Amino acid sequence: MIKEKNNTALTFEDFKTEVLNDYKIAIKSRECSLLGRKEVLTGKAKFGIFGDGKEVPQLAMAKFFKNGDFRSGYYRDQTFMMAIGQLTIQQFFAGLYGHTDIAHEPMSAGRQMGGHFVTHSLNDDGTWKNLTKQKNSSADISPTAAQMPRLLGLAQASKIYREVPGINNKSNFSINGNEIAWGTIGNASTTEGVFFETINAAGVLQVPLILSVWDDEYGISVHAKHQTTKESISEILKGYQREEETNGFEIFKVKGWDYADLIATYERAADIAREKHIPVLIHVEELTQPQGHSSSGSHERYKNSARLAWEKDFDCLRQMKLWMIAINIASPEEIEAIDIQTRKEVLEGKKAAWDAFIEPIIEEQKEFVSLLQKIATLSKNKEAILKYAADLGSIKTPLKKEILVTARKILRLVIHESGKAELSNWITSYTNKTEQKFGSHLFSESYSNVFSVKEVSPVYPTNAIEDTDGRMILRDNFDAIFTKYPEALIFGEDAGNIGDVNQGLEGLQEKYGELRVADVGIRETTIIGQGIGMALRGLRPIAEIQYLDYLLYAIQILSDDLATLQYRTVGKQKAPLIIRTRGHRLEGIWHSGSPMGMIINALRGIHILVPRNMTKAAGFYNTLMESDEPALVIECLNGYRLKEKMPLNFGEFKTPIGVVEILKEGTDITLVSYGSTLRLVEQAAKELLGSGINCEIIDIQSLLPFDINHDIAKSITKTNRLLVIDEDVPGGASAFILQQIVENQNGYNYLDSKPQTLTAKAHRPAYGSDGDYFSKPSIEDIFEKVYAMMNEVNPSKYPNLY
């Protein structure tokens, strides 16, 4: 592990010791890469992607990475993680093998491929550790440049902690905002749009961010001339260079094999970012990739002999060795001795990791083979069972899958025999135990999850007062939230100065300041990234996306990063970000969309909440502020000027998550919907009463999670009929809702008629004055659909309308 740099002068002996320690870390990392590739090629591991060729600049970066700092990087950073003491040889190989025990594989317990790194921000009970007393890494994901949006938020958190007074429990997360967010990215990934979006936002916000671009001139097989204008990211970013009296970046270029210059460059960058909160880009050039992109192929296929020869000469480890010899740090013989000893340590670490991975599975294999032999003695299929047992027992490196496949096939052979019960119980137990290792923590499993928050109803004055616009309820509730939670902040397009486009934040920027109620640019992906990064550092951000249709710009980051965070870290990191948006019905293709099917399928791991009015929405915000989970709240776009009663207990009333609400009881049919459509459903139900049809109306309220008490199925036991009304396209959210009711809740058992849906048309909603009527369900559509279903039941009482 590299010690943090300080200003104390070093003796030559101290300097020599530090350099040799750095070299040992670098050579250890290189040997892990080389041996890791061999483990893939021999079949012990499935895939490998390594950090060879990037070792020396990562040593320099690690020297100035302090406790409290955060990394947001990618899958080449193994040397850095080793240098800060957060990755051992054994852990490296445990990740390669996909070990499902987090004690052995702390990065993801086998849920991510090797090379994806994280540090643990949470205790076992889901509470925060003191992040200022450890070196921190946010959890990597594979999509290129997807680490960039969260990097922005990690850096902005330092700005908030430094400049916003009165934040609770600040000492666990920041010391005067002195922490730097360190990013890394490959040169080819800088061509992604989200890279430029993040760079621009960081330059505007002026946050303490240092971004290292590891440049080896290739993106897999594609040379930089096909990737980047002028073949240089630092050249094309010159317009972002900070000048006197302007914002922007400091931009440095440095050779990736020059150990001394790298240290000097990173020292200068860290001083600027930490003290002045100025973002810095370090373009690290002339790096190599000795084994190519990954274990899937060889770079000899696309690099010519001259390039391969240059890479051999300018390999950063070779250059570091030559430099060490030239200034008498070590002799060639001393370096060779270090290399030999390190290779031995890596081999020993690899063996220990493999043994720790495979031995428990072999023990399970042996125990199950013994069970099969016992079952076989009483079975008429004895020979077949013993053959299965022998085949399974002969596998030298078994998978859990192979054990379970054998068990499930044999179950068919003993289905009418006495051995069935014991084998069936074993399969159930083994499956449950093993599935937990791969399937836990999609959502929070802490004591602060959304289900721990109890419902609190709005309190109204005894003497009724005049109703108010729904937006006023939101405004006054956000006011209460910002008073109650000093760590809360909101930001989005038009969220600040004008109080959002629907005035739900009116006057709050003036009251709480431009950092807590903030305007941002038109850049949805990094709005979400800001929220993720700040939430990772203990703040409670609310990221506003102006319209639901615009969420599509950010869907990848929401899906790949935020929605998977608890899962991919096995509950060791959390980002309780609230995303606020508005949607469903207004005008035109891009201001009245309701793509809920896409959202609920892409965002498993985020709660999806669809309140029908602003009081319900405010209650969701209050619930979420007391929990530790991320959620998307979709307010009704056409509901801000509708009248609602004004509660007295702002900031305190709470809408339960995962619980439906029966808006009207009925006996003939259950109508299920959410959001703006419910007002149409309620009106249609009133009109249907005139035809003798009594509808029960249920507001879903929460799509994820969905009706945890199965109240919809209970309703169907009374009405025996079901209609789902939805503004999404056919087969969108309505398909999910039906699956939940008919399959998960066994609602099929209580139906006397086929369950049906009434949805929007497959096309986008048209803008013209009649566009909404002919694009989405109307009151007449709902009336006639219900009437037709009742016609099937009693044609004489409900004759055909058409």
Side-chain angles (χ1 to χ4, degrees), residues 722 724 733-744 755-757:
L722 171 67
V724 175
S734 59
F736 166 78
I737 294 167
L738 272 186
Q739 183 266 339
Q740 290 289 305
I741 299 168
V742 175
E743 183 177 329
N744 284 9
Q756 297 196 43
T757 65

Side-chain angles (χ1 to χ4, degrees), residues 326-391:
I327 66 169
N328 296 320
I329 293 290
S331 66
E333 294 76 18
E334 289 171 328
I335 292 172
E336 179 64 21
I338 292 171
D339 293 353
I340 292 170
Q341 177 60 31
T342 303
R343 290 189 193 104
K344 179 183 176 183
E345 291 173 5
V346 172
L347 281 168
E348 290 171 350
K350 179 197 75 72
K351 182 180 184 303
W354 176 252
D355 290 346
F357 168 72
I358 200 63
E359 285 175 0
I361 304 176
I362 291 174
E363 189 60 33
E364 292 174 347
Q365 174 197 41
K366 290 177 180 177
E367 290 174 1
F368 182 63
V369 167
S370 296
L371 175 61
L372 292 185
Q373 291 168 342
K374 173 186 170 184
I375 291 172
T377 59
L378 301 174
S379 175
K380 65 181 181 181
N381 294 304
K382 177 179 179 180
E383 290 186 7
I385 294 172
L386 290 176
K387 175 69 165 56
Y388 272 118
D391 289 346

Side-chain angles (χ1 to χ4, degrees), residues 407-425:
R408 295 170 76 175
K409 290 185 182 301
I410 291 174
L411 184 63
R412 306 168 196 170
L413 301 178
V414 298
I415 194 166
H416 299 296
E417 298 178 358
S418 60
K420 173 195 170 184
E422 185 174 9
L423 181 57
S424 178
N425 290 337

Side-chain angles (χ1 to χ4, degrees), residues 211-266:
L211 178 62
S212 298
V213 180
W214 308 140
D215 190 348
D216 58 23
E217 291 191 20
Y218 285 84
I220 307 183
S221 67
V222 180
H223 189 265
K225 65 185 179 183
H226 303 297
Q227 304 267 8
T228 307
T229 303
K230 300 183 179 180
E231 300 182 29
S232 170
I233 191 62
S234 56
E235 285 296 308
I236 63 173
L237 290 180
K238 281 184 175 179
Y240 285 95
Q241 174 64 52
R242 187 175 65 99
E243 299 172 352
E244 190 173 348
E245 304 303 322
T246 73
N247 58 13
F249 270 71
E250 288 292 347
I251 299 175
F252 302 138
K253 288 200 292 186
V254 61
K255 307 299 184 187
W257 44 264
D258 190 335
Y259 175 81
D261 197 23
L262 282 161
I263 291 173
T265 300
Y266 275 93

Side-chain angles (χ1 to χ4, degrees), residues 451 455 656-661 705-715 745:
F451 302 118
E455 178 179 8
I657 290 175
V659 178
V660 304
E661 183 177 350
F706 185 90
D707 188 13
I708 60 175
N709 297 322
H710 291 193
D711 288 325
I712 298 175
K714 294 171 189 173
S715 172
Q745 299 186 8

Side-chain angles (χ1 to χ4, degrees), residues 602-615:
L603 303 188
R604 301 297 171 95
I606 299 174
H607 296 304
I608 310 298
L609 310 178
V610 282
R612 69 180 181 273
N613 59 37
M614 302 311 157
T615 304

Side-chain angles (χ1 to χ4, degrees), residues 524-761:
E524 285 77 12
T525 303
T526 47
I527 290 174
I528 296 301
Q530 282 177 256
I532 295 171
M534 287 193 282
L536 281 165
R537 293 191 57 194
L539 294 169
R540 292 308 309 266
I542 303 171
E544 180 168 317
I545 301 298
Q546 194 163 85
Y547 295 106
L548 180 60
D549 302 86
Y550 303 168
L551 194 75
L552 272 65
Y553 282 100
I555 201 78
Q556 186 243 332
I557 294 300
L558 284 167
S559 181
D560 288 334
D561 198 351
L562 183 61
T564 67
L565 179 63
Q566 285 259 349
Y567 173 76
R568 74 182 190 269
T569 66
V570 200
K572 296 303 181 185
Q573 286 194 351
K574 63 183 176 183
L577 168 64
I578 300 171
I579 304 102
R580 179 194 184 209
T581 190
R582 48 193 69 84
H584 307 316
R585 289 180 180 242
L586 193 66
E587 300 290 348
I589 294 176
W590 289 287
H591 291 81
S592 53
S594 191
M596 300 308 301
M598 174 184 65
I599 289 168
I600 58 180
N601 286 311
L603 303 188
R604 301 297 171 95
I606 299 174
H607 296 304
I608 310 298
L609 310 178
V610 282
R612 69 180 181 273
N613 59 37
M614 302 311 157
T615 304
K616 289 292 182 179
F620 277 138
Y621 291 124
N622 296 336
T623 298
L624 292 167
M625 289 303 297
E626 287 196 8
S627 77
D628 67 353
E629 300 193 65
L632 170 66
V633 181
I634 303 168
E635 298 165 9
C636 294
L637 184 51
N638 61 1
Y640 294 104
R641 306 293 172 177
L642 298 179
K643 301 301 182 181
E644 300 181 35
K645 294 187 182 302
M646 181 73 87
L648 296 173
N649 53 337
F650 285 113
E652 302 300 329
F653 61 87
K654 300 173 184 70
T655 308
I657 290 175
V659 178
V660 304
E661 183 177 350
I662 298 175
L663 302 184
K664 176 188 173 299
E665 294 192 354
T667 56
D668 295 323
I669 186 171
T670 299
L671 306 182
V672 175
S673 191
Y674 60 90
S676 298
T677 307
L678 278 163
R679 292 194 292 276
L680 308 184
V681 174
E682 289 179 300
Q683 180 59 38
K686 289 178 183 178
E687 297 178 12
L688 284 160
L689 275 174
S691 296
I693 301 171
N694 189 2
C695 304
E696 184 141 303
I697 303 174
I698 297 181
D699 179 3
I700 293 169
Q701 298 198 107
S702 166
L703 285 166
L704 292 177
F706 185 90
D707 188 13
I708 60 175
N709 297 322
H710 291 193
D711 288 325
I712 298 175
K714 294 171 189 173
S715 172
I716 297 171
T717 63
K718 177 173 58 173
T719 66
N720 308 117
R721 276 168 284 280
L722 171 67
L723 174 64
V724 175
I725 304 99
D726 182 24
E727 290 191 35
D728 198 1
V729 295
S734 59
F736 166 78
I737 294 167
L738 272 186
Q739 183 266 339
Q740 290 289 305
I741 299 168
V742 175
E743 183 177 329
N744 284 9
Q745 299 186 8
N746 293 317
Y748 177 81
N749 294 332
Y750 315 116
L751 289 168
D752 291 340
S753 302
K754 75 174 182 178
Q756 297 196 43
T757 65
L758 177 62
T759 70
K761 299 296 193 294

